[in-house]
């Protein structure tokens, strides 16, 4: 894990964290910890929901879905068993933000989860942590114990009778998908459910209404409750309020975690915070939202990092994993890396996913090694078109759009590989 994070002005979620030791209950309390929860339970659930609606908070787990809408769907279901799940499975390449939040301030996430559970009327909360995060799991166990000792959960009386469970994800990419998460908690294999009909809000954990929220999403909630929904809107853009923790990696001088207002220009993140490209090289392309969103060529890097600006140019913010590629990068190799990742991470449940990702790898490897022709380039296009939107989850679409966008923006590199019968960069086999 890269721990070279640089505190920036305007930090909210990471503000009080000068070290990588977790903040204790005492320190958290001295910094207004659990005040948001106390405010929530001394008002009412409808008021909490309204505050989250006013804040405009959107999910930080990938899709940017409005948090209040998700909560509202479950809050309005008949009383009875409901669940809240905190998703900290985080296994996407180039994303370390949830891990950092868990490692440094688990109480912030616990408090956010307690407020969310209160708002939707759930009294069971599952923390779903990447099973490989051994240190973070220990920190979370300790923080949960501290919160219990101070009476915030596990008591006899409402609203303090909430029960927490800690569940380890198998540490695969697909295990973070929200319905695969439900399957794992139920003791089954990490395989997504078909949506529709199995939306968590309607048919979630053990068939009951369930909200699944990302850890960073929940970490924002105590601050919103404490300072108000309107306060939250003073940062970010009108449709993407607040900050986001960007994980900046790749060919960058200062990789690390940067919490910045949503709407910051991508090139500002790269130049002013990341220090520009390593070894004085030129920027070639950026994946602004991890491997499941389209690539952005250099000329589009003035785009603002918010949900809607990226959508407008056909890309996405995802989890804020910004991966930078320099002029030295071979774009066919980049496409291979991502295609291999998706092929490896396919859960095996949907044939188009297993076969489609493997086929993409095979064709791309042929092109990279100089054994490709115009036919192979056409095939890349065709396979991407065929697999898009297939399968139970977004994995296959993610694979198709990233490769397709590399082909669209860097077609000349595909042509060069074919015409020169090989890779003009450092060939993959020598890596
Ligand atoms: C293949 C795949 C992997 C995912 N992995 C994660 C993950 O590790 N953590 C996460 O919060 N969301 C992940 N998601 C998104 C979740 O399905 C879900 O949308 C998210 O947890 C909702 O939280 P939010 O509304 O707070 O963003 C993944 C989605 C897909 C398709």
């Amino acid at each position: 894990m890269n721990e070279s994070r640089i505190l920036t002005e305007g930090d909210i979620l990471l503000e009080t964290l000068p070290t990588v030791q977790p903040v204790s209950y005492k320190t958290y309390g001295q910094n207004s910890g659990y005040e948001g929860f106390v405010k929530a339970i001394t008002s009412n659930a409808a008021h909490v929901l309204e505050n989250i609606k006013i804040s405009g908070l959107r999910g930080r787990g990938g899709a940017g879905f409005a948090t209040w809408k998700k909560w509202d769907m479950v809050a309005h279901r008949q009383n009875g068993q409901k669940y809240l799940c905190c998703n900290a499975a985080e296994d996407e390449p180039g994303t370390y933000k949830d891990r950092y939040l868990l490692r440094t301030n688990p109480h912030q996430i616990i408090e956010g989860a307690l407020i969310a559970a209160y708002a939707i009327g759930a009294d069971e909360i599952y923390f779903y942590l990447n099973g490989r995060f051994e240190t973070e799991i220990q920190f979370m166990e300790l923080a949960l114990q501290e919160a219990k000792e101070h009476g915030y959960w596990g008591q006899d009386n409402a609203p303090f009778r909430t029960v927490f469970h800690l569940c380890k994800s198998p540490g695969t990419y697909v295990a973070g998908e929200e319905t695969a998460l439900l399957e794992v908690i139920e003791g089954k294999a990490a395989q997504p459910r078909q949506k529709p009909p199995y939306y968590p809000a309607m048919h979630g954990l053990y068939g009951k209404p369930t909200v699944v929220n990302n850890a960073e999403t929940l970490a924002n909630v105590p601050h919103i409750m404490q300072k108000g929904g309107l306060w939250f809107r003073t940062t970010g853009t009108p449709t993407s309020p607040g900050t986001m923790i960007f994980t900046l990696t790749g060919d960058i001088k200062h990789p690390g975690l940067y919490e910045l207002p949503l709407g910051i220009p991508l090139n500002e993140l790269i130049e002013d915070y990341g220090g520009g490209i390593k070894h004085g090289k030129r920027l070639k392309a950026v994946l602004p939202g991890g491997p499941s969103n389209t690539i952005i060529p250099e000329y589009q890097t003035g785009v603002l990092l918010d949900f809607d600006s990226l959508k407008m140019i056909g890309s996405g913010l995802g989890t804020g994993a910004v991966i930078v590629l320099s002029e030295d990068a071979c774009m066919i190799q980049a496409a291979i890396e991502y295609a291999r990742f998706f092929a490896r991470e396919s859960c095996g449940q949907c044939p188009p996913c297993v076969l489609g990702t493997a086929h993409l790898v095979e064709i791309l490897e042929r092109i990279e090694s100089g054994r490709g022709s115009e036919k192979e380039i056409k095939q890349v296009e065709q396979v991407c078109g065929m697999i898009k939107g297939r399968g139970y989850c977004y994995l296959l679409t993610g694979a198709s759009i990233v490769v397709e966008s590399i082909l669209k923006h860097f077609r000349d590199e595909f042509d060069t590989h074919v015409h020169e019968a090989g890779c003009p960069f450092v060939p993959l086999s020598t890596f």
Side-chain angles (χ1 to χ4, degrees), residues 259-313:
E259 183 182 0
L260 295 165
L262 281 162
I264 183 177
L266 173 57
N267 50 18
E268 199 175 312
L269 171 66
I270 293 170
E271 291 300 326
D272 298 358
Y273 295 92
I277 306 302
K278 265 200 277 196
H279 312 306
K281 296 282 180 181
R282 283 190 24 239
L283 173 68
K284 183 186 266 187
V286 183
L287 281 152
S292 300
N293 283 292
T294 64
I295 202 152
I296 292 185
E298 193 274 335
Y299 74 90
Q300 283 185 322
T301 51
V303 66
L304 306 185
L305 290 172
D306 63 71
F307 294 106
D308 302 301
S309 301
L310 282 162
K311 197 172 170 199
M312 260 160 56
I313 63 163

Side-chain angles (χ1 to χ4, degrees), residues 64-78:
F65 195 76
T67 303
W68 79 269
K69 275 193 194 160
K70 205 178 247 194
W71 292 13
D72 196 45
M73 278 185 268
V74 171
H76 283 97
R77 300 299 298 267
Q78 291 297 328

Side-chain angles (χ1 to χ4, degrees), residues 164-206:
F164 277 100
H165 307 272
L166 215 149
C167 180
K168 295 180 193 177
S169 92
T172 59
Y173 176 51
V174 85
E177 195 277 338
E178 59 187 4
T179 59
L181 166 154
L182 301 176
E183 291 284 292
V184 174
I185 295 175
E186 289 182 12
K188 292 176 257 172
Q191 294 187 323
R193 298 174 180 171
Q194 190 169 22
K195 291 188 284 185
Y198 296 114
Y199 290 108
M202 282 160 297
H203 191 96
L205 193 58
Y206 304 113

